[in-house]
Structures are given as structure tokens and as C-alpha cells.
Amino acid sequence: NLTPLNAPNWIDFYNLIHHCNHLQKYAPGIKVGSQANINRAMAQALWVRAYAYFCLLRIWGDAPIVLEPTESAERPLPSRAPAAEVMTQVLADIERSIALVPENGIVNKNTISKPAAFALKADALLWKAKVLGGGSADLEQVLVAADGALSTGISLLGNFENVHSTAQRKNAEIILSLYFVRDEKSDH
């Protein structure tokens, strides 16, 4: 039985999207720091927003598309956009992310990189082709995106057991890795 406490809720997704939109709006005006660092931050926010919309799409299908930060309570609530429009936004954000990441390879597996963006693009295009009625052109683009992800030092390990081994935590098969430990605490 669904209750207000356990029912699916997209508030957390839109909170995340709000922060990404906020960065997209104000980061171009930053005058300190290198342009590469600003571009990297914008690319990461675009990747996160694309991922959030991709999750919304897979869970709810049609979903509101919000591309500006919510800076006033007077803002009208948007209606749901068709799933195809949500997918168009996902792919547009991924393309902008790819264009803004300054490095071609993976500098740090704990941050968004071009290979991570290409991997998300391949996943989104597979969904588009198989679930949203895309076609063979989408499947061909999956191969192009996968080649983009694999062209920068990513490779399969010889033994699948080693993929999640703590001894090889950031191995050649990992494209993006977020490290979490239950009850983790750090004073740093």
C-alpha cells in the first residue's frame, strides 16, 4: 500500500536539477579561477541534470522540464513534457557536457569525464531505441558513444571478479566511481 511516506516522489530529483540549473545560470559570470575549471563544473552539472532527467524519464515517462533555477515562490508550476522531449533534453545536456569537459580522458574516476558522458549517452540512446521507439540510427549512435567512452584508456579486465575488488578499486574497467561507506565519517 502506498502512503505519503513510501510513495515514489520526484522532489529530490527536482532539488538536484535546481542546483544544476543554478550553476548553469551563474557559473558563466564567475571572474575568478580558470575557464577550464568553470567549464568542468558546468559540464559536471549538465551531466548530473541529464542523469536526473533520465531517471525521471525511466520512472515516470512524461515529466516537467525545468531549465532555470527556481528563485521565486511565484513561479508557475510547469506541466509534464512528453517523454520524447525529456529524452531530447537528456541528450542535449550530455552533448553540452561532452563539449565542456576540458580533458579527453579520465583525470579522476570520482568526477564526470568525457568517457562518463559518452557512457551515459550510450545508455540513454539504448533506452530511446528500445523503449521510446527510436530506430536503427539511435542504435548506431550507441556504438559511436561507446567508442567515445572506450577510446581513452577504458578496457575490460581479464577477471570479472576483480571489477569490484577493493585492491583494484579504480581499475581500467571503471568509468565513474562514487565511493560510499556506510556510516562513513571524515574530519577532513
Side-chain angles (χ1 to χ4, degrees):
N1 293 329
L2 293 178
T3 69
L5 296 176
N6 70 2
N9 188 330
W10 60 23
I11 289 174
D12 290 336
F13 288 107
Y14 282 100
N15 186 35
L16 184 60
I17 289 167
H18 162 76
H19 291 292
C20 294
N21 290 342
H22 203 106
L23 191 136
Q24 292 303 308
K25 181 175 181 179
Y26 293 106
I30 295 174
K31 303 294 185 222
V32 295
S34 72
Q35 190 60 47
N37 284 340
I38 293 167
N39 287 348
R40 188 177 300 106
M42 290 177 63
Q44 290 184 29
L46 283 163
W47 189 97
V48 170
R49 185 171 77 180
Y51 181 75
Y53 275 118
F54 188 41
C55 289
L56 288 167
L57 174 66
R58 290 180 295 176
I59 297 167
W60 284 282
D62 299 349
I65 297 174
V66 180
L67 302 177
E68 293 290 325
T70 303
E71 297 177 316
S72 167
E74 304 303 316
R75 183 179 185 157
L77 295 175
S79 60
R80 288 184 179 203
E85 287 180 31
V86 178
M87 177 55 74
T88 298
Q89 185 60 50
V90 167
L91 294 172
D93 282 351
I94 293 169
E95 287 301 323
R96 285 191 55 219
S97 178
I98 291 168
L100 285 170
V101 174
E103 303 83 16
N104 285 326
I106 296 174
V107 175
N108 180 346
K109 292 192 181 213
N110 300 116
T111 60
I112 304 308
S113 61
K114 282 190 192 217
F118 278 119
L120 180 59
K121 182 179 180 181
D123 194 12
L125 286 166
L126 275 173
W127 181 269
K128 183 180 178 204
K130 295 298 184 178
V131 178
L132 296 181
S136 59
D138 289 326
L139 293 174
E140 289 175 22
Q141 287 302 306
V142 168
L143 297 175
V144 171
D147 285 345
L150 297 174
S151 66
T152 53
I154 304 298
S155 63
L156 296 175
L157 296 181
N159 183 354
F160 180 73
E161 243 177 38
N162 293 334
V163 173
H164 299 290
S165 163
T166 55
Q168 297 184 12
R169 184 163 283 143
K170 295 183 181 179
N171 58 61
E173 194 165 327
I174 303 295
I175 295 174
L176 177 64
S177 172
L178 299 179
Y179 179 67
F180 294 98
V181 174
R182 185 172 184 196
D183 301 325
E184 179 180 17
K185 180 183 181 312
S186 173
D187 292 331
H188 302 124

